[in-house]
Amino acid sequence: MVQVTDRKCLLTAERIVNGVEYNCQKLTLCLKTYPSNGSFNLKALSGSSGYKFGVLARIVNYMKTRHQKGDTHHLTLDEILDETKLLDIGMKQKQWLMSEALSSNPKIDVRDGKYAFKPKYHLKDKKALLRLLDKHDQLGLGGVLLDDVEEGLPNSAKAIKALGDQIIFVTRPDKKKVLFYNDKHCQFAVDEEFQKLWRSVPVDSIDEEKIEEYLKKQGISSMQETGPKKMTPIQKRKKPGTQKKRRFKTHNDHLNGVLEDYSEGVPSKK
């Protein structure tokens, strides 16, 4: 049963059913209390807003469940309401689902007036999963959350089991499992004597400067500045003799022929 008690709870409910918070730890809206088959008592919701969000939560949960079972084709709203046994909702709530709630929901794909669940990764089979993990490995994107795989791959448990050692599981500190591609081309045997030598050198308490100093004493040069160097632009020299002659502005042009030149001294009187 889902119980919503106040406006703050309703806002939390809206974020959850719209795909924003599926794993919120502080859930005043107790989604854990209704079973995985998507059935819960809508009459327990208080107020009209609680009823609307309860209907939306039930629809999104049902669409996710049917997608995981392999039913990925789109359905009309009437078909969804029929399969979820929500035929008693009013026209107002139905219009809200069509015009706002489902169309703007990030977990619902709308196509020609029909609806289907929209996972993060669209995976048809185990080959599609393996290609996705291989692509992440090649591009250095890391692994893929098991939750996202289970959400997007129908019958995911069977597909993951069939892949066997082609994938690797890693558990994060928050207990979430991550899938990685197991690239067997990178696997090679290392000589046991070399492994012993490698493990016999303690470097836990030595910083990089001390390691570099030790390497220099052994005649080994360490790598310096692995990043690309910035090229400073070379300034072009100006060729001599190409400077333009300065022009001086002349004044009193209207007195030409009237003024006399005394630059060579005062002329003698005749």
Side-chain angles (χ1 to χ4, degrees):
M1 182 182 298
V2 180
Q3 295 182 351
V4 183
T5 56
D6 54 24
R7 180 174 178 79
K8 185 176 180 181
C9 296
L10 292 177
L11 294 175
T12 305
E14 183 178 10
R15 287 172 61 81
I16 292 171
V17 296
N18 281 283
V20 180
E21 286 188 38
Y22 275 110
N23 299 309
C24 181
Q25 294 179 355
K26 297 180 180 179
L27 293 183
T28 312
L29 176 72
C30 301
L31 288 178
K32 293 181 180 179
T33 58
Y34 76 91
S36 59
N37 59 8
S39 61
F40 57 91
N41 187 9
L42 290 175
K43 294 180 180 179
L45 298 174
S46 61
S48 59
S49 297
Y51 178 79
K52 289 197 303 183
F53 292 135
V55 170
L56 180 58
R58 182 169 179 171
I59 290 175
V60 173
N61 182 72
Y62 172 75
M63 299 300 283
K64 177 181 177 180
T65 302
R66 68 183 293 272
H67 180 90
Q68 291 173 330
K69 292 180 179 179
D71 297 330
T72 58
H73 61 278
H74 288 62
L75 299 175
T76 64
L77 181 58
D78 291 334
E79 290 173 336
I80 294 173
L81 295 177
D82 182 36
E83 293 186 13
T84 54
K85 300 178 181 179
L86 290 171
L87 295 173
D88 58 340
I89 68 170
M91 287 300 299
K92 188 176 181 181
Q93 285 79 16
K94 189 175 179 181
Q95 185 64 30
W96 174 73
L97 288 170
M98 293 178 62
S99 61
E100 184 179 347
L102 292 177
S103 59
S104 61
N105 195 299
K107 288 296 180 181
I108 297 295
D109 180 54
V110 184
R111 188 182 303 170
D112 298 329
K114 295 184 178 182
Y115 308 91
F117 186 73
K118 183 168 65 176
K120 184 175 182 179
Y121 303 108
H122 291 273
L123 304 170
K124 293 183 179 180
D125 49 28
K126 61 181 181 180
K127 292 182 179 180
L129 172 59
L130 199 62
R131 285 195 299 268
L132 174 66
L133 296 176
D134 187 15
K135 181 180 178 181
H136 273 239
D137 181 65
Q138 295 294 332
L139 299 178
L141 300 176
V144 177
L145 282 172
L146 177 61
D147 292 343
D148 294 335
V149 174
E150 290 177 339
E151 182 184 80
L153 177 61
N155 304 312
S156 58
K158 184 178 179 181
I160 292 172
K161 184 178 180 180
L163 290 175
D165 62 350
Q166 297 183 70
I167 57 178
I168 300 174
F169 282 91
V170 175
T171 304
R172 299 193 321 191
D174 59 358
K175 305 301 180 181
K176 288 185 175 294
K177 291 186 177 181
V178 185
L179 276 65
F180 290 86
Y181 177 70
N182 186 14
D183 190 355
K184 296 182 180 181
H185 295 287
C186 297
Q187 298 178 0
F188 56 90
V190 180
D191 188 75
E192 186 176 351
E193 184 177 355
F194 180 80
Q195 295 182 34
K196 291 180 180 179
L197 289 172
W198 180 269
R199 297 188 180 114
S200 65
V201 181
V203 293
D204 295 338
S205 59
I206 304 176
D207 56 18
E208 293 185 3
E209 292 183 359
K210 291 183 178 179
I211 294 176
E212 184 179 354
E213 184 180 352
Y214 174 79
L215 291 175
K216 286 182 178 179
K217 289 182 179 179
Q218 302 299 322
I220 304 172
S221 59
S222 59
M223 187 179 295
Q224 301 289 338
E225 297 182 2
T226 57
K229 295 182 179 180
K230 294 182 179 180
M231 300 296 293
T232 55
I234 301 174
Q235 296 182 352
K236 296 182 179 180
R237 293 184 179 180
K238 295 182 179 180
K239 295 181 180 180
T242 58
Q243 294 182 353
K244 295 182 179 180
K245 295 182 179 180
R246 296 178 63 184
R247 295 182 179 179
F248 297 95
K249 188 176 182 180
T250 57
H251 301 279
N252 301 326
D253 292 336
H254 61 289
L255 298 176
N256 287 341
V258 178
L259 298 177
E260 295 184 7
D261 185 10
Y262 294 96
S263 60
E264 297 180 358
V266 180
S268 58
K269 295 182 180 179
K270 295 180 180 178

